[in-house]
Amino acid sequence: AALKGRLRSQVSAALKEGRITPTELCQRCLALIKSTKFLNAYITVAEETALKQAEESEQRYKRGQPLGILDGIPIAVKDNFNTAGIETTCASNMLKGYISPYNATVVQKLLDQGAVLLGKTNLDEFAMGSGSTDGIFGPVRNPWSYSKQYKEKSVPKSHSEDEESNWVITGGSSGGSAAAVSSFTCFAALGSDTGGSTRNPAAHCGVVGLKPTYGLISRHGLIPLVNSMDVPGILTRCVDDAAVLLGSLAGHDPKDSTTIQDDFKPFELPNLTDFSKLSIGIPKEYHAPGLSSEILALWSKAADLFKNAGAKVVEVSLPHTRYSIVCYHVLCTAEVASNMARFDGLEYGHRSDKKESTESMYAATRREGFNDVVRGRILSGNYFLLKQNYAKYFVKAQKVRRLIANDFVKVFRSGVDILLTPTTLSDAAPYTEFIQEDNRTRSAQDDILTQAANMAGLPAINVPTALSERGLPVGLQFIGRSFQEKQLLTVAKWFEKQVQFPMIQLEEVKRHDNGVFQHQKSASFS
Amino acid sequence: QKVSVRVLDHLEQLALVDFRDSEGVERLQKAIQFADQLHEVNTDGVEPMDSVLEDRCLYLREDDVTEGNCTKDLLENAREKVEEYFVAPPGNIPLPKLEERDTFLQGS
């Protein structure tokens, strides 16, 4: 089970000892990507360059000089990160065929560590959406749709019909990355998180999704959505792996002036033993309308787990939570209106054939290049930024943002270390059901538990917790203090160990992956 | 309150994207309605927040040239170019007025 190993404790050792080579690892992942093509998780698979990177890594291991834990490790990157020489599309016609001349800083860092870049993953167009259903390459399918666990629980109408019509969404917008990690085609993937885009699909796909503190990881090369909230996200199969990735990505980048200048030291996660000084806050407003009773029960059980271990568990209040979606709606559309202005067809991307005037060419290019969701947000954003609306909407939203951020400050100041909340309102919806509502409505519903952390810039992580009655993953979210990722991940790691989330049972994976190390069978939390 | 055609037209010109159909206009109406909820919140005496890092100083580096000379790479992605120039259609020509534009708003 080479593909199922943990980075620090298993895969790295296996590579060093030569029990498996980077090339073998890369080939297995590439083969698995091919046989799970129906998931539509990848937009571009960089087979040639990946094998070349794997070969180079192998040479380093032979010389006994690997660059680090990530040397030779196959990873995937969401298609809104610039990757030199590899197409970057943002799942939009506007950037179809765009080959970036540079690597995003986070991509460069991974490559410098010897990671093997398998390809670019699918997303909602320009990361706008919560289902990974609205990109030009089509929707991403949740690997759990094809799991033994889900199939056992679903009532088949007829054998051939159920798989085709029953599949569930990954959540979004980093759905491709979540699906790629969940289906074992890579060990880690980069996503982005502006309103929950890493944590939401992580919850639905049963993987760990980390949103770091704003300012910790460079956004240089991440095609921006909301400059004041965007962060690169990390998706892995266990919390420890997320810490490894964080260690190689965090730190000041002179090319991104919004990264803090404090020294960042990569860390290993200790085992949590002393709970006497730990205070967990349960924000009552996160018991949002529409929260499934299953998730509510899991949330409660989780709180008890901490209480029984000796931690202080208290109910807290974040009174402005219910305004975070409205606030986000205004700030996001306003920043989008500004960020999307760069797409005019002149220097890169799609260009219309219209030649009458610069303006008419721009207008036609943008009409042809953007989907309805993107155009809708640009128009709304421009409305809120009109002179007569600016104070009423944009500045007002900025004020509400401060209130939301202050809610968190107050709670953390009162002695709470970590907040425990659900990540999503329910398990993944079937695609046919999801598309009944429009993108904006869905985003408003689905982002409700994740968005506020982006408002306040706080670190947050989804930890897969249990399977729902339908056999689909459900996760819980931990939110920490700014730049206290070590504490956040330490608590998350302990929780992960307690819940023993079951491994996905996928036919395809079984076929491609055979014994390099053992993996444990475990009882599940629910 | 419905947004007037004059404002819709103005938005299309500012944004350089069009509403395409009545659904597009409806979408804007709903977006405004949704945003109006903000006015329920009392924000007296609250300063607007630009960035969560407002308490820190922005990093400024020395004004030295450290990279460049990438003209060729940058021109690679442009569709229309001549030597080292990006080529644009003639500028200073305003978008045609609403009556003459190919936009859904014409029918309103």
Side-chain angles (χ1 to χ4, degrees):
Chain A
L3 295 181
K4 296 176 185 164
R6 289 166 177 250
L7 285 179
R8 206 194 302 266
S9 54
Q10 295 168 315
V11 188
S12 185
L15 283 168
K16 283 204 199 116
E17 292 161 26
R19 276 182 279 142
I20 188 163
T21 67
T23 310
E24 279 167 354
L25 214 50
C26 182
Q27 282 168 341
R28 286 200 205 178
C29 287
L30 289 171
L32 192 52
I33 292 175
K34 284 202 181 86
S35 65
T36 53
K37 209 153 177 228
F38 54 89
L39 294 177
N40 203 17
Y42 288 81
I43 294 176
T44 304
V45 180
E47 187 161 338
E48 259 182 61
T49 52
L51 286 168
K52 197 154 144 281
Q53 287 161 4
E55 172 60 42
E56 287 165 12
S57 171
E58 198 158 317
Q59 293 309 312
R60 289 191 290 268
Y61 274 102
K62 282 207 181 108
R63 293 196 303 268
Q65 295 170 331
L67 295 167
I69 300 179
L70 289 179
D71 204 336
I73 302 295
I75 49 134
V77 170
K78 185 175 182 182
D79 208 16
N80 59 353
F81 285 91
N82 277 281
T83 44
I86 300 175
E87 196 178 352
T88 299
T89 66
C90 292
S92 174
N93 277 317
M94 190 57 90
L95 286 179
K96 203 149 172 231
Y98 166 68
I99 310 257
S100 175
Y102 73 108
N103 281 319
T105 296
V106 287
V107 173
Q108 191 60 54
K109 284 189 167 188
L110 290 174
L111 293 174
D112 288 344
Q113 295 274 311
V116 172
L117 177 53
L118 293 173
K120 309 298 288 299
T121 57
N122 204 351
L123 59 156
D124 282 303
E125 183 162 335
F126 279 111
M128 299 186 200
S130 60
S132 303
T133 51
D134 283 329
I136 58 166
F137 298 103
V140 185
R141 298 186 180 202
N142 192 327
W144 284 83
S145 313
Y146 303 94
S147 68
K148 186 154 172 259
Q149 292 103 327
Y150 178 63
K151 288 195 221 175
E152 275 171 357
K153 298 292 184 96
S154 48
V155 181
K157 302 179 193 85
S158 80
H159 180 70
S160 56
E161 214 195 85
D162 72 14
E163 284 200 6
E164 270 322 291
S165 57
N166 247 6
W167 62 270
V168 298
I169 58 165
T170 50
S173 59
S174 311
S177 283
V181 173
S182 172
S183 58
F184 296 94
T185 59
C186 61
F187 283 85
L190 291 184
S192 65
D193 196 310
T194 306
S197 289
T198 288
R199 293 160 286 155
N200 175 293
H204 287 318
C205 293
V207 297
V208 171
L210 171 63
K211 174 213 167 295
T213 311
Y214 180 86
L216 185 62
I217 299 188
S218 173
R219 289 180 300 111
H220 176 73
L222 165 61
I223 295 172
L225 187 60
V226 183
N227 300 69
S228 66
M229 295 184 216
D230 289 349
V231 293
I234 293 169
L235 292 138
T236 55
R237 288 192 286 276
C238 65
V239 175
D240 205 58
D241 287 357
V244 172
L245 266 289
L246 184 68
S248 48
L249 296 177
H252 177 64
D253 179 15
K255 293 185 181 173
D256 177 356
S257 62
T258 60
T259 52
I260 59 160
Q261 295 157 65
D262 300 3
D263 255 331
F264 174 80
K265 285 195 183 57
F267 48 78
E268 278 190 44
L269 298 176
N271 283 319
L272 189 56
T273 45
D274 183 10
F275 290 80
S276 60
K277 297 194 191 64
L278 183 65
S279 173
I280 306 282
I282 311 286
K284 61 182 189 197
E285 290 84 2
Y286 279 65
H287 185 349
L291 184 65
S292 85
S293 48
E294 270 186 315
I295 298 189
L296 183 58
L298 283 173
W299 187 19
S300 181
K301 255 182 120 165
D304 288 340
L305 212 66
F306 281 99
K307 211 179 292 173
N308 295 334
K312 183 163 167 229
V313 179
V314 288
E315 189 189 75
V316 295
S317 175
L318 299 167
H320 296 94
T321 301
R322 67 198 181 95
Y323 293 108
S324 89
I325 288 294
V326 189
C327 185
Y328 177 62
H329 166 72
V330 173
L331 293 180
C332 174
T333 51
E335 291 217 34
V336 160
S338 172
N339 278 320
M340 296 294 130
R342 71 192 69 198
F343 297 106
D344 55 21
L346 264 188
E347 296 157 67
Y348 45 74
H350 174 69
R351 176 176 176 144
S352 161
D353 291 327
K354 240 171 177 301
K355 296 183 182 0
E356 287 75 43
S357 68
T358 325
E359 303 235 338
S360 68
M361 187 278 274
Y362 290 171
T365 295
R366 292 155 70 79
R367 171 180 236 245
E368 292 161 22
F370 292 137
N371 74 0
D372 284 347
V373 177
V374 179
R375 278 184 303 114
R377 291 201 194 186
I378 293 173
L379 286 161
S380 301
N382 273 290
Y383 179 82
F384 297 131
L385 292 173
L386 287 175
K387 238 184 288 189
Q388 68 256 37
N389 295 329
Y390 192 82
K392 203 168 129 192
Y393 290 99
F394 183 69
V395 178
K396 179 78 181 180
Q398 287 191 308
K399 292 181 179 181
V400 175
R401 180 176 186 177
R402 184 178 295 282
L403 291 175
I404 294 169
N406 282 346
D407 279 355
F408 285 101
V409 170
K410 285 197 198 101
V411 163
F412 286 129
R413 213 168 265 167
S414 74
V416 167
D417 299 301
I418 305 271
L419 296 168
L420 168 62
T421 80
T423 314
T424 54
L425 294 175
S426 66
D427 57 6
Y431 176 69
T432 46
E433 194 185 294
F434 184 80
I435 52 172
Q436 304 273 338
E437 295 272 15
D438 72 88
N439 185 292
R440 192 183 59 79
T441 312
R442 279 299 178 195
S443 298
Q445 293 164 346
D446 302 332
D447 288 347
I448 215 161
L449 302 169
T450 48
Q451 212 299 303
N454 296 85
M455 277 288 162
L458 299 170
I461 185 169
N462 171 77
V463 180
T465 305
L467 294 185
S468 69
E469 262 179 36
R470 288 162 67 215
L472 295 172
V474 162
L476 289 177
Q477 174 178 238
F478 294 90
I479 305 175
R481 297 168 193 247
S482 277
F483 302 107
Q484 300 306 310
E485 270 79 355
K486 184 169 181 188
Q487 181 183 50
L488 178 68
L489 291 173
T490 301
V491 170
K493 179 175 169 175
W494 178 82
F495 182 70
E496 172 188 66
K497 191 149 182 240
Q498 305 309 303
V499 301
Q500 298 279 297
F501 182 77
M503 197 170 288
I504 186 176
Q505 287 163 46
L506 271 180
E507 261 314 307
E508 285 75 13
V509 180
K510 252 193 250 160
R511 263 186 267 133
H512 288 275
D513 197 40
N514 42 42
V516 174
F517 8 82
Q518 313 288 1
H519 64 271
Q520 304 106 323
K521 277 234 163 73
S522 30
S524 46
F525 185 48
S526 57
Chain B
Q1 255 159 339
K2 281 201 157 265
V3 182
S4 69
V5 176
R6 195 180 62 81
V7 172
L8 292 175
D9 179 37
H10 184 48
L11 284 175
E12 280 197 342
Q13 299 214 36
L14 280 177
L16 288 177
V17 294
D18 65 312
F19 283 97
R20 196 153 310 189
D21 53 28
S22 61
E23 218 183 292
V25 178
E26 234 341 90
R27 202 175 287 134
L28 176 68
Q29 291 288 161
K30 286 208 192 104
I32 300 170
Q33 216 176 339
F34 190 63
D36 282 334
Q37 291 173 72
L38 276 179
H39 304 118
E40 292 168 24
V41 189
N42 184 339
T43 53
D44 291 342
V46 181
E47 284 298 300
M49 179 182 243
D50 289 318
S51 165
V52 295
L53 300 176
E54 60 187 2
D55 292 333
R56 293 172 183 259
C57 281
L58 258 193
Y59 168 75
L60 293 176
R61 69 186 182 107
E62 287 307 308
D63 189 12
D64 293 325
V65 174
T66 53
E67 48 177 19
N69 290 322
C70 49
T71 313
K72 189 162 164 292
D73 289 333
L74 295 180
L75 286 172
E76 275 297 310
N77 282 300
R79 222 189 77 171
E80 315 248 348
K81 51 203 172 204
V82 167
E83 292 180 13
E84 294 187 346
Y85 294 88
F86 295 109
V87 179
N92 262 349
I93 301 175
L95 274 182
K97 287 209 175 49
L98 179 58
E99 307 81 61
E100 290 144 39
R101 257 181 24 241
D102 172 23
T103 163
F104 153 78
L105 293 179
Q106 262 215 40
S108 326

